[in-house]
Amino acid sequence: MSTLDTSGRVLTGWNPEEPENWSAKIAWTTLTISHYSMILAFCVWLLPSAIAPKLTEIGFKLTDSQLYWLAAMPGLSCGLIRLVYMFLPPIVGTRKLVAWSSLLYALPMLGWFFAVQSTETSFGTLLALAFACGIGGGSFSGYMPSTGYFFPKRLTGTALGIQAGVGNMGMSIIQLLSPWLMGFGLLGITWIAPQHAGSGQVWVHNVAVFFIPWTIVAALLAFALLKDVPVKANIRQQIDIFTNPDTWYMTLMYVATFGLFSGFAAQFGLLIKNTYGPQSALAEHFDKSLLPLGATYAFLGPLIGSVVRMLWGPLCDRFGGAIWTFISIVGMGATLAVTTFYLHPTDPAQFPGFLWSMLAMFFFSGLGNAGTFKQMPMIMPKRQAGGAIGFTAAIGSMGPFIVGVAIASLGTTACFWISVSYCAVCAVICWLRYARPGAPFPGWAPASGVRPERPQLSDGRGGAATHSSPARLPRRRRSVPVRSSSARRTAASQPQADH
């Protein structure tokens, strides 16, 4: 048995399931640096959503539909980029993955910094910059499987819940800090003239440039302190995840939980602005100064969903992820259905009903985002689970694009009811396959970390095959003719030939 050696850049003898070959310090250091970088990544991902509500106020000639497209475009690019990132952890290693990704985050922020300084910047240019921001959300599909290599299965729910939850808080941080950062000239760039909005002078470019130095710090920390684990696989070896049906079922679950969470989080500020704010139909009959501003409340949804996701990791380790995924999807469908009654207000007094039902939806999404990432490592082999997490995250991250395009093309009410219907379908699948008592794939393990025996499935030859390693079925054994006891005695009495 090889012993653990942590002296080099690559850990040798690393096995989180064996305490003597695992280092908690290295695992938690990796988690800390990775989720610091991921916070910045999600700030980049939702940068267009933070800036878009201010663009028309400072002189950009953009329609509501174009603003929804700007907020939606990072979701499309993020999904495409995640399809690449999901293969990178076993190819490039954790250290280079986190370090170089952190540096890449600075590029779209730098582009937005210059673009918003001139109202002559074309919509096509803004759309391209919004697309580039997808790198922030795209790296998630590399970070999460990579971090999973460092922890034993009994801690995967906690570790991945913390990383994803803290990382998702970047969506809230960018929404929360944006109004404040736009309110004054940043030290060192006060020579850049502010823009003029209805409320006075604003420095919209501050939001983009403020985070750039922190991405450089993240890259330096990664290069200096992170290590790689000896998990190697080429792309051909990794595509076996697509032969496992749980990859596809869990993708459906994650689109319901994270897809809708990220989609409505990206559009939350614009929804408030266009439904209840100064740009809504209510402004024709009520004092605009008394109507809510989208930027004031936009950070609440991502914040609630992210914190709940982080806090629910230990509960998923204790009770399993499937039941929380089921509760999440049912709760999201119910709260979205309630929200539809507040989408065509006749009085600003209806705004609290809209706000609280949406915040309840974000709460339930956090349960499911934690639950799904607990399920996958328990029902799949370790390397395959990493790839499946990357793939499901890639598809789920298209939520901002899907929700944004649905609102822009079908209308807000239709988008909400489609989301409710999708939640209903996913809830049925989750209950039958994962959450009900005696479900075939519960994805549950006790605190000891020992996986319970899985139900046996037919192997197609009349026998049984376990599902604990979905990538491989037992080999067919050569048949041996059965002889009677008298034949065996006769054979034993015969002289044996010399060899």
Side-chain angles (χ1 to χ4, degrees):
M1 179 183 296
S2 59
T3 57
L4 178 63
D5 183 2
T6 62
S7 58
R9 291 294 185 191
V10 178
L11 303 169
T12 58
W14 181 265
N15 187 349
E17 304 304 331
E18 299 174 356
E20 65 275 12
N21 289 325
W22 179 61
S23 169
K25 179 181 178 181
I26 291 176
W28 290 104
T29 298
T30 303
L31 180 67
T32 301
I33 296 174
S34 296
H35 77 231
Y36 164 56
S37 177
M38 192 177 291
I39 288 174
L40 299 171
F42 277 88
C43 286
V44 175
W45 192 31
L46 255 65
L47 180 63
S49 296
I51 291 178
K54 281 290 183 182
L55 292 178
T56 54
E57 295 183 27
I58 62 177
F60 282 85
K61 305 300 181 182
L62 300 172
T63 65
D64 288 347
S65 178
Q66 288 175 321
L67 293 177
Y68 281 125
W69 270 97
L70 288 179
M73 191 54 65
L76 174 63
S77 58
C78 171
L80 298 175
I81 293 171
R82 285 189 178 188
L83 292 175
V84 176
Y85 260 88
M86 61 180 281
F87 295 109
L88 295 183
I91 296 176
V92 303
T94 301
R95 177 172 167 268
K96 292 180 181 178
L97 181 75
V98 176
W100 287 111
S101 297
S102 298
L103 292 177
L104 285 175
Y105 303 151
L107 298 181
M109 289 191 286
L110 198 61
W112 277 100
F113 170 69
F114 289 107
V116 297
Q117 293 181 42
S118 172
T119 57
E120 299 301 317
T121 303
S122 67
F123 174 66
T125 300
L126 296 177
L127 205 61
L129 289 172
F131 187 90
C133 287
I135 183 63
S139 59
F140 182 88
S141 281
Y143 281 39
M144 295 299 285
S146 175
T147 298
Y149 298 153
F150 287 84
F151 287 88
K153 288 187 176 182
R154 62 184 175 84
L155 294 176
T156 53
T158 299
L160 296 182
I162 290 175
Q163 175 156 318
V166 174
N168 288 170
M169 287 184 69
M171 302 167 69
S172 179
I173 290 172
I174 188 72
Q175 302 276 16
L176 176 62
L177 292 184
S178 292
W180 176 68
L181 289 172
M182 293 179 189
F184 58 90
L186 285 179
L187 182 65
I189 57 171
T190 53
W191 49 271
I192 299 178
Q195 292 99 350
H196 293 275
S199 56
Q201 293 183 332
V202 291
W203 288 260
V204 177
H205 55 268
N206 284 356
V207 183
V209 75
F210 176 78
F211 294 96
I212 292 179
W214 302 108
T215 64
I216 298 174
V217 173
L220 294 176
L221 289 173
F223 277 127
L225 299 177
L226 294 188
K227 297 179 181 292
D228 298 324
V229 296
V231 176
K232 296 294 181 182
N234 58 37
I235 293 178
R236 179 177 297 179
Q237 291 171 322
Q238 296 183 68
I239 62 175
D240 66 346
I241 64 171
F242 300 115
T243 65
N244 189 334
D246 285 309
T247 298
W248 302 102
Y249 286 118
M250 291 308 302
T251 297
L252 294 177
M253 301 301 106
Y254 198 62
V255 168
T257 59
F258 185 79
L260 294 181
F261 161 73
S262 61
F264 285 110
Q267 306 295 341
F268 195 33
L270 287 173
L271 278 174
I272 294 174
K273 175 185 176 182
N274 295 332
T275 307
Y276 285 92
Q279 306 297 320
S280 67
L282 292 177
E284 299 177 5
H285 308 286
F286 297 91
D287 186 355
K288 290 185 178 182
S289 63
L290 300 178
L291 299 179
L293 299 175
T296 304
Y297 299 93
F299 76 96
L300 288 174
L303 176 64
I304 291 172
S306 301
V307 171
V308 171
R309 182 175 192 169
M310 178 175 58
L311 295 179
W312 241 257
L315 291 175
C316 291
D317 281 335
R318 182 173 179 83
F319 300 106
I323 187 62
W324 296 116
T325 301
F326 174 73
I327 292 172
S328 165
I329 295 173
V330 171
M332 291 179 70
T335 50
L336 286 171
V338 171
T339 307
T340 60
F341 295 102
Y342 298 97
L343 295 179
H344 300 283
T346 56
D347 192 298
Q350 295 173 265
F351 177 67
F354 169 85
L355 180 64
W356 283 108
S357 56
M358 285 297 295
L359 294 184
M361 186 276 296
F362 286 119
F363 170 84
F364 282 111
S365 73
L367 305 183
N369 290 333
T372 51
F373 272 40
K374 174 61 181 178
Q375 287 178 260
M376 285 181 276
M378 298 310 304
I379 62 180
M380 300 179 182
K382 198 171 190 67
R383 180 191 54 76
Q384 197 176 61
I389 287 174
F391 177 74
T392 58
I395 304 303
S397 69
M398 293 187 181
F401 177 74
I402 296 171
V403 172
V405 171
I407 292 175
S409 58
L410 302 177
T412 305
T413 303
C415 174
F416 271 72
W417 279 115
I418 290 172
S419 300
V420 172
S421 301
Y422 182 75
C423 285
V425 172
C426 289
V428 172
I429 295 173
C430 184
W431 176 255
L432 294 177
R433 189 171 180 85
Y434 302 112
R436 65 180 172 86
F441 307 106
W444 179 89
S448 63
V450 178
R451 185 191 302 183
E453 290 294 324
R454 300 297 305 279
Q456 292 189 332
L457 304 176
S458 171
D459 64 3
R461 299 189 297 272
T466 65
H467 194 74
S468 59
S469 298
R472 180 177 299 178
L473 290 172
R475 294 182 178 179
R476 185 191 296 269
R477 294 186 176 182
R478 297 174 59 185
S479 60
V480 179
V482 179
R483 296 182 293 180
S484 67
S485 58
S486 60
R488 289 196 298 270
R489 287 194 297 270
T490 302
S493 65
Q494 299 296 325
Q496 301 296 316
D498 293 332
H499 293 283

